[in-house]
Amino acid sequence: MKKEAIVLLKKIYGYDSFRKGQDYIVNSILNRRDTIGIMATGGGKSICYQIPSLIFDGVGIVISPLISLMKDQVDALKVLGIKAIYINSTLTKEEFIKAINELRYNNVKLLYLAPERITNEKFIKLIREINISFIAVDEAHCISQWGHDFRKSYLEIPKFIKAMNKKLPILALTATATPRVVEDIEKFLEMENPFKYISGFDRENIFFKVEKSVIADAYISKYIRSHKNMSGIIYANTRKEVEGLYQYLKEVKGYNVGKYHAGLSKEERSEMQEAFLKDDIEIMVATNAFGMGIDKSNIRYVIHKNIPRDLESYYQEAGRAGRDGLPSEAILIFNEEDIATQEFFIEANEETSDEQRKIKRRKLDEMVRYANLTSCYREFILKYFGDKRIKNYCGNCGNCRNIKDVEDLTIEAKKVISCIGRAKEKIGTSTLINILLGKADTKIERKKLNEITTFGLMKEKSQEWLEEFVNFLIAENYIELTAGSFPIVQLNKNSFDILKNLKTIKRKVNEVISFDYYEDTLFKELNFLRKKISEKEEVAPYIIFSDTSLLEMAEKKPKNRWEMLKIKGVGNQKFKNYGEEFLKTINKFTDEDIKKIKIENFIDEKYLDIEKIENLKKDLNLKIDTELLKDILIKNLFL
Ligand code: ADP
Ligand code: ZN
């Protein structure tokens, strides 16, 4: 690996090392070899073309079908201090001319292009005058009829590449490609002996599960309530379902939700999408019309209210969760009746041939098999896509958790049992729990139960935990409740067996994944600050810093520039733009501290022009000779 690439990774992106595959792909392109990279969503494909573009002379071209994403991508690069522009059909004539001029004179490193009209002769002539370093084709599976998302415009790409007046290295990237699609990519793009990196399709950080026999609306509402301030998508199969759920969640429950389906006007849709990206709307209720071109990284959960038509759609939609790599959840709510809706869609579509209908039915069958699965969900999905690396057990899905994660609660049970024994009184569950928590009420004091040795024995537990645990012990008959209107807790043979170590107590771990950090005060404050900055700069919050970075800041509490730069996702440019404010929030810094940080910021500047130094002086209200200050700063440079 070229050292330069690693230095850039740290300096610009704030990451210590390349992820698996990124290094091979970057290396291969730097060696000017045609390359095909297949990496799961969230695997980090962008860096694979961004870093080479910075190292090569000239402009790297990225062809991407997602016009709606281009602005976001260019914004994100701007925040990193990388000069990028885009050319697509949304540009006015003036904007187009401006873009071409930027390419000619302004040291642009990346140009995002939509595949439409790129073979227009005039356009090719303009591009030929520019020093192009390589061409990356994003979502490369769109070039194949065998892919799930074939786009005619992608057939323009080979013509465009051929029209360039020199041989350029080609990088094809996608998250989904069967061997057949890979073959097509290689053939159509006329790649010469390309280097291929194919990673698995696994999304390790997503917890997959299926909920059966639940009332969907109630389940979703409860889920949202226990996942406050988090971003999520809820997919439903029809507009009507979306409208119904939206009304319920918004009007009845008062949640901060948006809706998205093809029945809304274009303006309404883009308004909703924008609000969701900016975290103004927390939850989006949508049909599958929503999601193309969403690379919002901090989506914590995706819930499907109804069964989707096939696993391709399901995996793609569920995969919108957790692009930042943090734990996330994909939940499918399964009701048998929903199968009929999907069958109806298949039968009712008159454009579908009999052959296609058969394929669609088969795909739906597989989807239903998934919903009824009792073994590992992940293994099933990955096998479906031809990836056999997970065998039987992934440890991070609804079914696997049920098998493995049991906790030993024998000691806890002993504590509860001895408390009942010590109390020697007729007590009910609530008094029992209060004694264990060390909470004295008048009844406890009157009976002097606050003087027994087990008083406060489990005070480290929460009330809810103990209530649930005592109920569990009762349900499993380790202790008993008497009948009557004031039931009291009693010991039985099982209780004594536990005390005598003849029995142990195991309980399945609740298969909920932890989002505790969303409750962390500092994380909340940092989130709030990020939102404030994002509004000022008119970019989405996750572009400023990902949740991963905020979480690490809240945990490690960096005290100065150097510690801050160690946080994943904090590179030089981002530090320069936002570092101080975040440090200030973390440490409640004084003005003096901030002055120091501002000066430190200058240490990395290669060119210290007088204007910059004057600005610094003004900003910090320093009464020092400019030349002297420059001297000090430059000396610092070599310290
Ligand atoms: P993809 O396009 O493959 O879905 P992205 O390029 O959007 O993925 O990257 C997903 C996330 O992973 C982003 O938040 C990105 O900043 C982060 N990321 C990428 N490369 C690295 C790395 N080497 N170390 C840590 N995080 C990374
Ligand atoms: Zn599993």
Tab-separated table of all heavy atoms in Angstrom, residues 345-374:
chain	number	residue	atom	x	y	z
A	345	PHE	N	-50.420	-8.678	-6.286
A	345	PHE	CA	-49.532	-7.853	-7.127
A	345	PHE	C	-48.974	-8.659	-8.301
A	345	PHE	O	-48.845	-8.171	-9.411
A	345	PHE	CB	-48.351	-7.296	-6.314
A	345	PHE	CG	-48.715	-6.159	-5.397
A	345	PHE	CD1	-48.061	-5.999	-4.176
A	345	PHE	CD2	-49.687	-5.233	-5.766
A	345	PHE	CE1	-48.386	-4.937	-3.328
A	345	PHE	CE2	-50.013	-4.165	-4.923
A	345	PHE	CZ	-49.366	-4.029	-3.708
A	346	ILE	N	-48.619	-9.897	-8.019
A	346	ILE	CA	-48.039	-10.742	-9.069
A	346	ILE	C	-49.088	-11.051	-10.147
A	346	ILE	O	-48.848	-10.881	-11.339
A	346	ILE	CB	-47.489	-12.068	-8.487
A	346	ILE	CG1	-46.347	-11.777	-7.508
A	346	ILE	CG2	-47.002	-12.993	-9.607
A	346	ILE	CD1	-45.843	-13.006	-6.758
A	347	GLU	N	-50.272	-11.460	-9.694
A	347	GLU	CA	-51.312	-11.851	-10.651
A	347	GLU	C	-51.850	-10.657	-11.423
A	347	GLU	O	-52.137	-10.742	-12.614
A	347	GLU	CB	-52.476	-12.559	-9.934
A	347	GLU	CG	-52.082	-13.785	-9.112
A	347	GLU	CD	-51.232	-14.790	-9.886
A	347	GLU	OE1	-51.461	-14.959	-11.094
A	347	GLU	OE2	-50.320	-15.397	-9.274
A	348	ALA	N	-51.992	-9.517	-10.735
A	348	ALA	CA	-52.695	-8.389	-11.342
A	348	ALA	C	-51.875	-7.661	-12.406
A	348	ALA	O	-52.424	-6.974	-13.260
A	348	ALA	CB	-53.119	-7.406	-10.253
A	349	ASN	N	-50.570	-7.820	-12.359
A	349	ASN	CA	-49.735	-7.095	-13.312
A	349	ASN	C	-49.799	-7.739	-14.702
A	349	ASN	O	-49.243	-8.808	-14.942
A	349	ASN	CB	-48.291	-7.065	-12.803
A	349	ASN	CG	-47.427	-6.135	-13.641
A	349	ASN	OD1	-47.832	-5.723	-14.737
A	349	ASN	ND2	-46.266	-5.811	-13.127
A	350	GLU	N	-50.479	-7.046	-15.605
A	350	GLU	CA	-50.729	-7.656	-16.915
A	350	GLU	C	-49.489	-7.710	-17.795
A	350	GLU	O	-49.421	-8.464	-18.753
A	350	GLU	CB	-51.861	-6.905	-17.623
A	350	GLU	CG	-53.203	-7.265	-17.010
A	350	GLU	CD	-54.314	-6.353	-17.485
A	350	GLU	OE1	-54.052	-5.529	-18.393
A	350	GLU	OE2	-55.418	-6.471	-16.952
A	351	GLU	N	-48.523	-6.880	-17.448
A	351	GLU	CA	-47.314	-6.866	-18.274
A	351	GLU	C	-46.399	-8.059	-17.997
A	351	GLU	O	-45.446	-8.304	-18.728
A	351	GLU	CB	-46.545	-5.567	-18.033
A	351	GLU	CG	-47.186	-4.401	-18.754
A	351	GLU	CD	-46.594	-3.083	-18.313
A	351	GLU	OE1	-45.401	-3.059	-17.951
A	351	GLU	OE2	-47.331	-2.095	-18.335
A	352	THR	N	-46.690	-8.756	-16.900
A	352	THR	CA	-45.831	-9.871	-16.537
A	352	THR	C	-46.162	-11.107	-17.386
A	352	THR	O	-47.318	-11.471	-17.528
A	352	THR	CB	-46.035	-10.230	-15.051
A	352	THR	OG1	-46.024	-9.025	-14.302
A	352	THR	CG2	-44.947	-11.144	-14.548
A	353	SER	N	-45.137	-11.730	-17.935
A	353	SER	CA	-45.374	-12.954	-18.699
A	353	SER	C	-45.545	-14.124	-17.730
A	353	SER	O	-45.201	-14.014	-16.556
A	353	SER	CB	-44.180	-13.230	-19.608
A	353	SER	OG	-43.067	-13.557	-18.819
A	354	ASP	N	-46.047	-15.237	-18.225
A	354	ASP	CA	-46.259	-16.397	-17.364
A	354	ASP	C	-44.961	-16.849	-16.718
A	354	ASP	O	-44.911	-17.211	-15.550
A	354	ASP	CB	-46.860	-17.552	-18.171
A	354	ASP	CG	-48.348	-17.325	-18.393
A	354	ASP	OD1	-48.887	-16.384	-17.753
A	354	ASP	OD2	-48.952	-18.062	-19.198
A	355	GLU	N	-43.920	-16.794	-17.545
A	355	GLU	CA	-42.608	-17.225	-17.071
A	355	GLU	C	-42.162	-16.350	-15.884
A	355	GLU	O	-41.724	-16.839	-14.851
A	355	GLU	CB	-41.608	-17.120	-18.227
A	355	GLU	CG	-40.218	-17.626	-17.919
A	355	GLU	CD	-40.195	-19.095	-17.499
A	355	GLU	OE1	-41.092	-19.875	-17.901
A	355	GLU	OE2	-39.285	-19.441	-16.751
A	356	GLN	N	-42.300	-15.034	-16.085
A	356	GLN	CA	-41.889	-14.110	-15.021
A	356	GLN	C	-42.729	-14.299	-13.763
A	356	GLN	O	-42.229	-14.201	-12.646
A	356	GLN	CB	-42.007	-12.667	-15.503
A	356	GLN	CG	-40.828	-12.255	-16.371
A	356	GLN	CD	-41.080	-10.929	-17.036
A	356	GLN	OE1	-42.194	-10.626	-17.479
A	356	GLN	NE2	-40.049	-10.106	-17.104
A	357	ARG	N	-44.025	-14.566	-13.996
A	357	ARG	CA	-44.918	-14.803	-12.854
A	357	ARG	C	-44.429	-15.973	-12.015
A	357	ARG	O	-44.428	-15.932	-10.796
A	357	ARG	CB	-46.326	-15.114	-13.361
A	357	ARG	CG	-47.227	-13.983	-13.091
A	357	ARG	CD	-48.675	-14.250	-13.325
A	357	ARG	NE	-49.195	-12.986	-13.798
A	357	ARG	CZ	-49.677	-12.771	-14.989
A	357	ARG	NH1	-49.782	-13.752	-15.843
A	357	ARG	NH2	-50.070	-11.568	-15.337
A	358	LYS	N	-43.982	-16.993	-12.728
A	358	LYS	CA	-43.516	-18.186	-12.036
A	358	LYS	C	-42.295	-17.841	-11.169
A	358	LYS	O	-42.199	-18.241	-10.011
A	358	LYS	CB	-43.144	-19.254	-13.070
A	358	LYS	CG	-43.718	-20.595	-12.699
A	358	LYS	CD	-43.869	-21.581	-13.819
A	358	LYS	CE	-42.656	-22.382	-14.178
A	358	LYS	NZ	-42.791	-23.021	-15.492
A	359	ILE	N	-41.391	-17.074	-11.774
A	359	ILE	CA	-40.194	-16.686	-11.025
A	359	ILE	C	-40.581	-15.866	-9.799
A	359	ILE	O	-40.072	-16.069	-8.700
A	359	ILE	CB	-39.242	-15.868	-11.928
A	359	ILE	CG1	-38.731	-16.770	-13.055
A	359	ILE	CG2	-38.093	-15.285	-11.132
A	359	ILE	CD1	-37.913	-16.046	-14.109
A	360	LYS	N	-41.514	-14.954	-10.017
A	360	LYS	CA	-41.918	-14.089	-8.904
A	360	LYS	C	-42.573	-14.876	-7.777
A	360	LYS	O	-42.362	-14.588	-6.602
A	360	LYS	CB	-42.872	-12.999	-9.396
A	360	LYS	CG	-42.132	-11.927	-10.163
A	360	LYS	CD	-43.011	-10.769	-10.531
A	360	LYS	CE	-42.120	-9.686	-11.139
A	360	LYS	NZ	-42.887	-8.565	-11.628
A	361	ARG	N	-43.373	-15.853	-8.176
A	361	ARG	CA	-44.012	-16.677	-7.146
A	361	ARG	C	-42.962	-17.446	-6.350
A	361	ARG	O	-43.037	-17.555	-5.144
A	361	ARG	CB	-44.999	-17.651	-7.788
A	361	ARG	CG	-46.392	-17.069	-7.845
A	361	ARG	CD	-47.391	-18.120	-8.288
A	361	ARG	NE	-48.212	-17.573	-9.348
A	361	ARG	CZ	-48.307	-18.039	-10.573
A	361	ARG	NH1	-47.629	-19.103	-10.926
A	361	ARG	NH2	-49.072	-17.448	-11.455
A	362	ARG	N	-41.978	-17.936	-7.085
A	362	ARG	CA	-40.937	-18.698	-6.400
A	362	ARG	C	-40.176	-17.799	-5.416
A	362	ARG	O	-39.845	-18.197	-4.307
A	362	ARG	CB	-39.970	-19.289	-7.438
A	362	ARG	CG	-39.520	-20.677	-7.034
A	362	ARG	CD	-38.621	-21.318	-8.047
A	362	ARG	NE	-39.217	-21.471	-9.358
A	362	ARG	CZ	-38.530	-21.380	-10.505
A	362	ARG	NH1	-37.250	-21.107	-10.506
A	362	ARG	NH2	-39.139	-21.555	-11.656
A	363	LYS	N	-39.934	-16.572	-5.862
A	363	LYS	CA	-39.212	-15.651	-4.981
A	363	LYS	C	-40.035	-15.317	-3.733
A	363	LYS	O	-39.497	-15.194	-2.635
A	363	LYS	CB	-38.868	-14.371	-5.737
A	363	LYS	CG	-37.773	-14.591	-6.749
A	363	LYS	CD	-37.237	-13.291	-7.268
A	363	LYS	CE	-35.953	-13.562	-8.034
A	363	LYS	NZ	-35.296	-12.344	-8.475
A	364	LEU	N	-41.334	-15.163	-3.932
A	364	LEU	CA	-42.211	-14.883	-2.790
A	364	LEU	C	-42.203	-16.072	-1.819
A	364	LEU	O	-42.161	-15.889	-0.600
A	364	LEU	CB	-43.633	-14.573	-3.277
A	364	LEU	CG	-44.678	-14.285	-2.196
A	364	LEU	CD1	-44.261	-13.110	-1.312
A	364	LEU	CD2	-46.040	-13.972	-2.833
A	365	ASP	N	-42.210	-17.284	-2.386
A	365	ASP	CA	-42.144	-18.473	-1.532
A	365	ASP	C	-40.909	-18.451	-0.638
A	365	ASP	O	-40.970	-18.782	0.538
A	365	ASP	CB	-42.097	-19.759	-2.383
A	365	ASP	CG	-43.449	-20.056	-3.007
A	365	ASP	OD1	-44.442	-19.448	-2.572
A	365	ASP	OD2	-43.510	-20.898	-3.928
A	366	GLU	N	-39.780	-18.063	-1.224
A	366	GLU	CA	-38.540	-18.001	-0.445
A	366	GLU	C	-38.659	-16.979	0.672
A	366	GLU	O	-38.174	-17.173	1.777
A	366	GLU	CB	-37.352	-17.617	-1.350
A	366	GLU	CG	-36.903	-18.720	-2.271
A	366	GLU	CD	-36.347	-19.912	-1.505
A	366	GLU	OE1	-35.351	-19.753	-0.786
A	366	GLU	OE2	-36.925	-21.005	-1.635
A	367	MET	N	-39.297	-15.873	0.342
A	367	MET	CA	-39.498	-14.807	1.329
A	367	MET	C	-40.337	-15.335	2.494
A	367	MET	O	-40.031	-15.064	3.658
A	367	MET	CB	-40.185	-13.630	0.619
A	367	MET	CG	-40.240	-12.350	1.415
A	367	MET	SD	-38.615	-11.643	1.752
A	367	MET	CE	-38.723	-11.441	3.527
A	368	VAL	N	-41.362	-16.096	2.165
A	368	VAL	CA	-42.225	-16.660	3.216
A	368	VAL	C	-41.455	-17.693	4.034
A	368	VAL	O	-41.598	-17.782	5.250
A	368	VAL	CB	-43.505	-17.278	2.600
A	368	VAL	CG1	-44.334	-17.988	3.662
A	368	VAL	CG2	-44.336	-16.202	1.920
A	369	ARG	N	-40.595	-18.430	3.355
A	369	ARG	CA	-39.762	-19.387	4.095
A	369	ARG	C	-38.901	-18.664	5.120
A	369	ARG	O	-38.717	-19.126	6.237
A	369	ARG	CB	-38.850	-20.152	3.122
A	369	ARG	CG	-39.437	-21.470	2.670
A	369	ARG	CD	-38.434	-22.248	1.838
A	369	ARG	NE	-37.306	-22.743	2.618
A	369	ARG	CZ	-36.123	-23.052	2.095
A	369	ARG	NH1	-35.906	-22.899	0.809
A	369	ARG	NH2	-35.158	-23.511	2.842
A	370	TYR	N	-38.364	-17.533	4.685
A	370	TYR	CA	-37.551	-16.726	5.608
A	370	TYR	C	-38.373	-16.343	6.836
A	370	TYR	O	-37.943	-16.486	7.973
A	370	TYR	CB	-37.051	-15.469	4.891
A	370	TYR	CG	-36.339	-14.483	5.797
A	370	TYR	CD1	-34.984	-14.620	6.089
A	370	TYR	CD2	-37.021	-13.403	6.370
A	370	TYR	CE1	-34.331	-13.728	6.919
A	370	TYR	CE2	-36.371	-12.505	7.206
A	370	TYR	CZ	-35.029	-12.670	7.479
A	370	TYR	OH	-34.383	-11.791	8.312
A	371	ALA	N	-39.592	-15.876	6.567
A	371	ALA	CA	-40.436	-15.404	7.668
A	371	ALA	C	-40.766	-16.532	8.650
A	371	ALA	O	-40.978	-16.293	9.830
A	371	ALA	CB	-41.714	-14.791	7.114
A	372	ASN	N	-40.792	-17.763	8.166
A	372	ASN	CA	-41.145	-18.887	9.032
A	372	ASN	C	-39.933	-19.622	9.592
A	372	ASN	O	-40.067	-20.663	10.233
A	372	ASN	CB	-41.998	-19.899	8.250
A	372	ASN	CG	-43.429	-19.437	8.156
A	372	ASN	OD1	-44.007	-18.988	9.146
A	372	ASN	ND2	-44.001	-19.492	6.968
A	373	LEU	N	-38.774	-19.093	9.347
A	373	LEU	CA	-37.544	-19.803	9.669
A	373	LEU	C	-37.371	-20.031	11.173
A	373	LEU	O	-37.752	-19.173	11.974
A	373	LEU	CB	-36.388	-18.923	9.171
A	373	LEU	CG	-35.135	-19.576	8.659
A	373	LEU	CD1	-35.462	-20.477	7.482
A	373	LEU	CD2	-34.143	-18.502	8.217
A	374	THR	N	-36.795	-21.172	11.533
A	374	THR	CA	-36.470	-21.342	12.948
A	374	THR	C	-34.947	-21.376	13.140
A	374	THR	O	-34.458	-21.404	14.249
A	374	THR	CB	-37.057	-22.657	13.505
A	374	THR	OG1	-36.670	-23.716	12.629
A	374	THR	CG2	-38.568	-22.594	13.596
